[in-house]
């Protein structure tokens, strides 16, 4: 019942990117929220079974890209529909200030560094300090609910 209840919670979709040994690794995520403005920080909840999780540790850079409604293909690719090594071929990516890919046309891009990692159940909570942010001119986020896009 808990899972069914949470599927009714609409959430914006983001692509979270970390630095891997063979290049960037990214996943689609909906469990991201702002934490503080001073210092600017966000919470990112990552399942421990994901390929991204092993790369998350304090001082590691992190890129968070809040998707626009037109970027469903990017969400699907990073949600597991595309092999990991091909995901960054979908969408237009540039290098952010922290050396990680930033998605062009996203609602917002955050260049971050992880300050704290907390383990809880099947997930870890990363507290990431935002080093720089950019936003698009138009507000039109990609929203996910109950297994589909709104």
């Amino acid at each position: 019942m808990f899972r069914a209840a949470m599927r009714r919670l609409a959430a914006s979709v983001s692509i979270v990117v970390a630095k891997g040994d063979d290049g960037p690794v990214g996943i689609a995520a909906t469990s991201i929220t702002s934490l503080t403005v001073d210092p600017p920080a966000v919470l990112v909840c990552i399942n421990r079974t994901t390929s991204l999780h092993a790369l998350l540790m304090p001082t590691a850079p992190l890129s968070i890209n809040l998707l626009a409604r037109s970027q469903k293909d990017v969400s699907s690719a990073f949600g597991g529909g595309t092999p990991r090594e091909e995901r960054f071929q979908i969408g237009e990516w540039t290098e952010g200030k922290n050396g990680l890919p930033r998605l062009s046309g996203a609602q917002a891009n955050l260049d971050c560094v992880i300050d704290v990692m907390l383990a809880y159940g099947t997930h870890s909570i990363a507290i990431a300090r935002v080093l720089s942010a950019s936003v698009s001119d138009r507000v039109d986020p990609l929203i996910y609910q109950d297994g589909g896009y709104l």
Side-chain angles (χ1 to χ4, degrees), residues 62-149:
L62 200 65
S63 171
I64 301 172
N65 304 273
L66 286 66
L67 298 185
R69 184 184 314 241
S70 63
Q71 295 173 319
K72 291 178 187 174
D73 58 337
V74 177
S75 174
S76 295
F78 282 82
T82 301
R84 192 173 88 182
E85 60 277 0
E86 297 175 20
R87 293 178 184 176
F88 290 97
Q89 295 172 16
I90 299 166
E92 184 179 330
W93 296 87
T94 60
E95 187 173 305
K97 292 180 181 178
N98 62 2
L100 292 173
R102 293 178 122 213
L103 180 63
S104 299
Q107 289 287 284
N109 306 95
L110 306 174
D111 293 321
C112 306
V113 63
I114 297 174
D115 279 342
V116 177
M117 291 291 295
L118 304 166
Y120 191 85
T122 59
H123 285 60
S124 289
I125 302 162
I127 298 176
R129 186 170 18 98
V130 179
L131 304 174
S132 67
S134 64
V135 297
S136 68
D137 293 333
R138 186 168 177 228
V139 178
D140 191 22
L142 180 60
I143 305 295
Y144 190 79
Q145 179 187 31
D146 198 25
Y149 300 106

Side-chain angles (χ1 to χ4, degrees), residues 1-9 146:
M1 289 312 298
F2 174 73
R3 187 177 300 229
M6 291 298 96
R7 286 180 62 99
R8 282 147 176 81
L9 179 64
D146 198 25

Side-chain angles (χ1 to χ4, degrees), residues 8-83:
R8 282 147 176 81
L9 179 64
S12 62
V13 183
S14 297
I15 303 300
V16 179
V17 182
K19 183 177 181 176
D21 291 337
D22 299 324
V25 176
I27 62 167
T30 56
S31 294
I32 298 172
T33 190
S34 63
L35 178 59
T36 67
V37 173
D38 188 18
V42 293
L43 294 177
V44 182
C45 301
I46 304 290
N47 192 308
R48 290 186 193 174
T49 63
T50 66
S51 57
L52 186 79
H53 188 272
L55 307 173
L56 305 180
M57 60 193 70
T59 73
L62 200 65
S63 171
I64 301 172
N65 304 273
L66 286 66
L67 298 185
R69 184 184 314 241
S70 63
Q71 295 173 319
K72 291 178 187 174
D73 58 337
V74 177
S75 174
S76 295
F78 282 82
T82 301

